Every structure is written in structure tokens, then in C-alpha cells.
Amino acid sequence: MAESFDLLMDVSPKKLAWNFLVHVVRLWKAPCRYNPKEINSIEMGGRIQASVPKALVRRWNDNIDEFKMYKMSNFIVVDKREKTKTSMNRWTLNFSHRTVVLLVENPTFPLQAFRLTQISELLNADRINDSQLIDIMGEVVGKEDPKELITSKGKETKRLAILVEDLDNYRIGCVLFGDMVDQILPYLDDGRVEPLIVVLQFFRPSRWNEKTSVQSHFDISKLRINPDLEEVRDFRDRRLAAIPSNLVRISQVNTNNSHSGADELKRGDVTVNTIEEALNSTQEGPLWIAGTIVAINSGKDDWFYKSCRKCPKKVETPIGNRYECGKCGHTHGSASLRFVFRFTICFGWTMLLQFTKLCNLYNRFKVEVMAYDGTGSITLLLWDRETVQLCGRQAEQIKDEEELYAEGYPAALESLLERKLLFKVNVKSSNIKLYDQVYTVMKVCEDDTIFEMHLPNKTFSTVTDTGCSNSVDLSAAMVDINNLSDSQYSVDVVEDSVTSLKCKTPAKTATMVLKQQIPINIENEEELGFSTNKLTRNRRKRQKMQLHDSNE
């Protein structure tokens, strides 16, 4: 009687005596968290994931190989609920002391190692599920130069971006890390005329700035170069039929996103929104807006932040007398007096100052500004790269040498005011659901020509040389302060406008915003005044007069 086997789709935790006939399509060894040289578990993935716990690693280590068929029986079925999944099946087969694994010399059914995802499916997907690892097959048609990196744990590694194309001529960027870079570099010859077919097994899809790509994910991912498999041979034949082998097949490309917002806007496929549309947006993601910076909402100590010298990560939690970056692991600290004395004797004060500077944390910009466009105002957060682009100086340079402005921030930041710019802002979930009023700026464009080309029609009404138009529509009614019946109403509205603009804004800047962005039809400016204190006194006086009249 023939032996019966269970199906992987029928797995459940209701029994232990499972009996399977399976191919192992992917196997990797997960290192211990605190000792990378020690194996914590052996993992297998495919139609379902199987796991060998640490207690049984010695028994099964090097006894199971990829692409071979085995009879496996007796498992404990658990639901691990892993954040990163290699299978669509929710259950995991845990090896136990009763588990039996036997090699099958003559497989009874063919190997189907991959569950390939079409590149077009990824590019056209409304949402990318980055927790589900996928398989992709394609020809390498582009490459970047490899780069050296430092991981969050301080480990040195490599990064290489390549471009992969499928049979339908759809392309997707792929980022390789670590040993995979050394694995593929010998195949990336500039004059290569034979197709380089790769299978990206268990790679993580991602989408950032509307760009979809895949990347290797720690020890789980596997890069297979020209594997001797039936589906790969068929792919190669079809590619050669479309593109002759006498042509150069791999070109030098640059898959990095340009830091210049002007380059993105020049492509012509960008829609610039009004500030009102950005504030009312219910969709997460980046969008472009146009606006004039009318206020700086930063004070004495919040226009910069302390960061790691090797990466822009904020460092704020001390460990004793030193700081350690949680991203790259770089350590910053203060030297002891004995060390300072000995170093000074050996190398002098100049070298000591340079050494101390390298040990200390680095100052980077974090400037909060308010922008206005005629439809509304929005609070924007400019990080270091964008602020340096606009003011032309580093925060580290002006931290000590610049005198603080009256409102607390350096005078060098005054150059940001009255700048008409295009901002690429990131609308986050907190902006939509939690009503977070601060929007992060991802890119800026300061080109006047591009600004005028992409300016929405609803924004930036014409103003006079003094910064004031002849009239303004307040609360859907034209207000004329010369009319006595409207004067009280108009002053209240103006005072409310000043109050809203002064939220986290220095008094001087808020007054300037009021003069330039809320023009009022008056003959004598001194009759109303632009001091918020005077407006408040006028309101109090009216309230007292009303109270006196009611008492009489």
C-alpha cells in the first residue's frame, strides 16, 4: 500500500502526526541577537515556513539542503505571527525531538522553487505590503557603483543598486546588501553581451517617494545568478529572441532620487497644490505646494538639534559621559582632564581643538516656518539639507559665531523670510488622523521660473508696493473701516487673525505677516494700528462700555 502524505494547505495545530513529502526551496540560519557567530535557529521557507529551534540546531545543522526532496513527519504547529513573512500560510512547522527527516533520492514530482511576482503587478499596485517577501525573475540591465555603509549596529557593509527587466520590458530597481554585492560584482562587466538572469528570492518590496523597488532582507533573501532551472532557461531563450546577444546588455545607471526639487518639477508630471488643498488632503504621501515663508516659529534652542557626526540621527540619551548613536553606533564623548593634559603636551592646542570637535555631537538645522499662499497658511518643518540649501550656511558654523536675533533664532535665518518657494511636503497619518499641524518638507525648489510655471491659479493675489491691497474679503464680506457700523466687526476679525498667526510665532514676524498678508482698506493706518496689544485694549474698552450700558 502506498504511503499517504498530508497537504501543506491542510496544516492546523489540531494534531502532531503530520507527514509531508516536500522540496526545501529556501534555508537560512538565523544568528543570535547578541552573538552573531552563534546560530539561534534554522529556518526554511516556501509554501509554508518551518523552524528548527536552538536546542535542535546541532542535530539538523548541515543535514538539510536546498532544492532537495525530503519526507518529514511529526511537527508542532504554531502561529508565530512574524512581522516579515515568507509564506502566505499563517502556520509554522516547529521541529521537535520526535521530528523525522528522510532524504528522497528520486523525487516523485518536479521542483517549483519560486512563486514569481510580476514587476508590472508591483508597479501598478495601489499599496505595497512590505511585510510579505516576494520572488522576482529578470535580466540585469543596469548597475550602480557599490558603496560602503555602516549599519545601525556599527558594522561595515556594502550596498549596490541594480536595474532588473522582465519579459514585458518592465523595470524595477533592486538594492543588494552585504555578501550579495561581492557575489554579483564579477558578473557586471561593462562589455557583457550575454544576458545575466537573476532570481531575487524572498526580497522585500518597498515604495518611497512614489518609487517602487525591492531590496534584500538580512539573511532571509537569496540572490540566485543564472541558476540551472527550467524556468530560468526558458526566460533566457525568450530574452535572447527579443534582444540579440551581440549587444551590450548592462549599462551604468543612477537609481538614486535626485536631491534637487527642480529636476523633479522639470519632468512636467507634477501637480502643485494650494495650501488649502494640502491641509484638506486625506491621502498619505508626498505632494507639492507653493508658498511664501512669512514667519519663523523657532526660538533660541529649537532651531537646531544635536546629531551624530556620521549620520543625521538625533542623539540625546547619554550613557555615562558619552553618547552613542542608535543608528550607526558611533560613540561621542568627553575626554578626561588627564587625557586632555597629555594630548595637549604631545600635539598642542590646535590638534586638541580639532580632536574635541570630532568627539562632540554635530549641530544640524531643524527650523519650523510658516508659509502662506492666499488660500491659507501651513506650518512646515525644514530639516538640515533644505535649510542649508536656502540659507547657504551650516548650523554648526553659525551656532557659535552668530548673534541670536531678537526672537531667539540666528540672524542668518532671516534670509528665509519672504522667499517664494515650491515645497514637497509629506502628508503623514498623524496630519490626517491626529490633526498634527506640522508638515515635514522633503524637497524645496527656489527657481523663480519654475515657481511661476507651477503656481496654482488660486494663490498669491496682487498686492501694492506697500504690501497691502485695497481691500480684503473677510468672512465672506467686504469690510470698510471707514464705515462706523463695520469698524467694530472688522477689528475683531483682524484681532482673531493676528491671534491665529501668532501661534508659536514671534511678535515681530506675526505683525509683518498681518501687514503683508491681511491687507485692509483704511485711509489712516495709525487709526487702527498693527499692534496686537492695542487691538486687545480696544476690545477690552468696548466690553467695558457695553457692560456699563447694560447696567444703566
Side-chain angles (χ1 to χ4, degrees):
M1 182 177 179
E3 184 178 3
S4 61
F5 296 98
D6 298 307
L7 298 177
L8 294 177
M9 66 178 65
D10 297 331
V11 169
S12 71
K14 296 182 179 180
K15 72 174 186 178
L16 300 175
W18 296 98
N19 190 28
F20 302 109
L21 183 65
V22 293
H23 283 102
V24 177
V25 298
R26 179 74 182 104
L27 182 145
W28 69 95
K29 298 172 182 178
C32 289
R33 181 177 181 181
Y34 301 104
N35 185 9
K37 297 181 180 180
E38 183 179 355
I39 300 176
N40 186 62
S41 65
I42 300 175
E43 305 292 333
M44 288 162 273
R47 303 298 187 271
I48 195 172
Q49 185 164 338
S51 179
V52 179
K54 186 176 181 179
L56 300 175
V57 165
R58 181 176 298 181
R59 176 181 174 183
W60 297 108
N61 191 23
D62 299 329
N63 289 329
I64 302 176
D65 299 319
E66 292 179 344
F67 289 2
K68 291 186 178 181
M69 178 177 282
Y70 296 91
K71 292 181 182 180
M72 298 185 178
S73 57
N74 302 329
F75 293 96
I76 301 174
V77 180
V78 297
D79 186 1
K80 279 192 171 182
R81 298 183 180 181
E82 299 281 358
K83 293 182 179 180
T84 303
K85 302 177 182 179
T86 61
S87 168
M88 300 298 293
N89 199 317
R90 62 175 290 191
W91 304 111
T92 298
L93 303 177
N94 262 20
F95 278 56
S96 70
H97 291 82
R98 298 178 55 196
T99 302
V100 178
V101 178
L102 299 174
L103 176 65
V104 177
E105 297 291 347
N106 299 312
T108 56
F109 60 87
L111 170 65
Q112 294 181 348
F114 313 113
R115 302 187 69 175
L116 298 175
T117 300
Q118 300 297 321
I119 295 179
S120 59
E121 180 182 340
L122 278 179
L123 299 178
N124 298 324
D126 295 332
R127 184 178 179 183
I128 296 295
N129 181 12
D130 58 2
S131 64
Q132 182 68 53
L133 303 185
I134 61 174
D135 301 338
I136 288 182
M137 181 188 299
E139 180 185 355
V140 179
V141 295
K143 65 174 182 177
E144 270 190 1
D145 294 325
K147 299 178 181 179
E148 301 288 339
L149 291 180
I150 298 179
T151 67
S152 59
K153 297 182 180 180
K155 181 182 177 181
E156 294 183 358
T157 186
K158 296 179 181 179
R159 175 191 182 275
L160 174 66
I162 60 175
L163 200 60
V164 178
E165 185 177 278
D166 65 5
L167 293 173
D168 297 323
N169 297 326
Y170 285 101
R171 295 184 175 188
I172 192 170
C174 172
V175 182
L176 307 176
F177 294 99
D179 295 337
M180 291 187 187
V181 177
D182 297 328
Q183 179 185 352
I184 198 174
L185 277 179
Y187 298 90
L188 300 179
D189 298 330
D190 293 335
R192 185 184 181 92
V193 295
E194 291 295 326
L196 178 61
I197 311 300
V198 295
V199 178
L200 312 174
Q201 189 177 14
F202 292 159
F203 272 59
R204 179 177 175 267
S206 64
R207 178 174 290 167
W208 176 251
N209 286 351
E210 302 178 357
K211 181 179 180 181
T212 305
S213 62
V214 295
Q215 63 183 32
S216 59
H217 188 70
F218 300 103
D219 299 305
I220 304 177
S221 301
K222 179 80 171 183
L223 174 64
R224 302 187 184 275
I225 303 175
N226 291 329
D228 189 17
L229 298 172
E230 181 64 30
E231 54 263 51
V232 176
R233 290 192 292 267
D234 179 66
F235 186 95
R236 177 193 298 273
D237 293 340
R238 295 174 65 182
R239 288 290 293 181
L240 287 173
I243 304 177
S245 60
N246 58 350
L247 299 177
V248 177
R249 311 187 74 90
I250 301 177
S251 59
Q252 189 76 20
V253 296
N254 183 8
T255 60
N256 286 334
N257 289 330
S258 174
H259 286 174
S260 173
D263 294 339
E264 184 173 336
L265 291 164
K266 286 178 180 178
R267 293 202 300 262
D269 57 351
V270 175
T271 300
V272 178
N273 302 269
T274 65
I275 290 179
E276 182 182 20
E277 292 170 342
L279 294 174
N280 295 330
S281 175
T282 58
Q283 183 177 357
E284 297 181 33
L287 55 82
W288 283 92
I289 61 172
T292 302
I293 296 180
V294 295
I296 299 176
N297 293 354
S298 297
K300 179 179 179 181
D301 298 319
D302 57 359
W303 59 271
F304 68 96
Y305 71 99
K306 297 288 187 180
S307 76
C308 175
R309 298 195 74 89
K310 287 192 173 182
C311 70
K313 179 71 175 178
K314 184 178 181 180
V315 180
E316 56 185 354
T317 305
I319 305 175
N321 64 342
R322 61 188 178 87
Y323 292 82
E324 183 174 342
C325 178
K327 183 177 181 180
C328 69
H330 185 67
T331 301
H332 313 74
S334 58
S336 64
L337 291 176
R338 178 180 297 179
F339 175 83
V340 171
F341 179 74
R342 291 181 176 178
F343 192 95
T344 305
I345 293 176
C346 296
F347 302 101
W349 283 103
T350 304
M351 291 296 296
L352 176 64
L353 293 176
Q354 295 179 0
F355 175 79
T356 304
K357 186 176 180 180
L358 292 175
C359 291
N360 293 337
L361 297 174
Y362 192 77
N363 295 308
R364 298 182 191 271
F365 283 117
K366 189 191 73 170
V367 182
E368 193 173 295
V369 301
M370 183 176 289
Y372 176 83
D373 73 342
T375 68
S377 58
I378 187 172
T379 304
L380 303 175
L381 181 60
L382 297 171
W383 289 102
D384 190 70
R385 186 184 68 198
E386 289 73 30
T387 310
V388 171
Q389 176 184 343
L390 294 177
C391 72
R393 302 190 65 185
Q394 300 285 343
E396 187 77 3
Q397 297 174 347
I398 67 176
K399 177 66 171 62
D400 297 324
E401 62 187 53
E402 285 278 357
E403 294 183 2
L404 295 181
Y405 193 63
E407 281 75 18
Y409 54 82
L413 296 182
E414 282 287 290
S415 61
L416 300 179
L417 292 173
E418 302 308 310
R419 297 282 295 275
K420 292 184 177 182
L421 303 167
L422 292 165
F423 304 91
K424 185 176 184 179
V425 300
N426 184 23
V427 181
K428 298 180 291 187
S429 175
S430 58
N431 299 124
I432 301 172
K433 300 178 182 178
L434 303 179
Y435 303 102
D436 184 0
Q437 298 181 0
V438 181
Y439 291 74
T440 302
V441 176
M442 304 166 64
K443 293 181 182 180
V444 294
C445 176
E446 50 186 334
D447 189 293
D448 294 336
T449 304
I450 298 178
F451 181 88
E452 296 297 334
M453 290 174 55
H454 292 83
L455 189 64
N457 296 328
K458 303 178 183 178
T459 60
F460 297 97
S461 57
T462 305
V463 297
T464 63
D465 294 338
T466 60
C468 296
S469 61
N470 294 327
S471 61
V472 64
D473 188 0
L474 293 176
S475 301
M478 292 301 296
V479 180
D480 186 0
I481 293 184
N482 293 323
N483 189 330
L484 181 61
S485 61
D486 289 340
S487 61
Q488 177 178 340
Y489 171 72
S490 62
V491 170
D492 292 340
V493 173
V494 173
E495 181 175 356
D496 293 339
S497 302
V498 174
T499 304
S500 63
L501 282 172
K502 284 190 65 179
C503 178
K504 299 176 66 178
T505 308
K508 176 180 177 181
T509 312
T511 304
M512 177 186 62
V513 174
L514 175 64
K515 287 185 177 181
Q516 296 183 356
Q517 305 299 342
I518 309 181
I520 302 173
N521 183 19
I522 58 176
E523 295 181 356
N524 186 5
E525 182 176 324
E526 295 180 355
E527 182 179 345
L528 174 64
F530 287 95
S531 170
T532 57
N533 295 330
K534 187 171 182 179
L535 290 172
T536 304
R537 290 197 300 269
N538 292 338
R539 170 176 284 186
R540 291 174 182 169
K541 185 175 180 180
R542 288 194 307 273
Q543 291 176 348
K544 289 181 180 179
M545 294 175 60
Q546 293 173 0
L547 180 61
H548 179 72
D549 294 340
S550 61
N551 292 334
E552 292 180 352

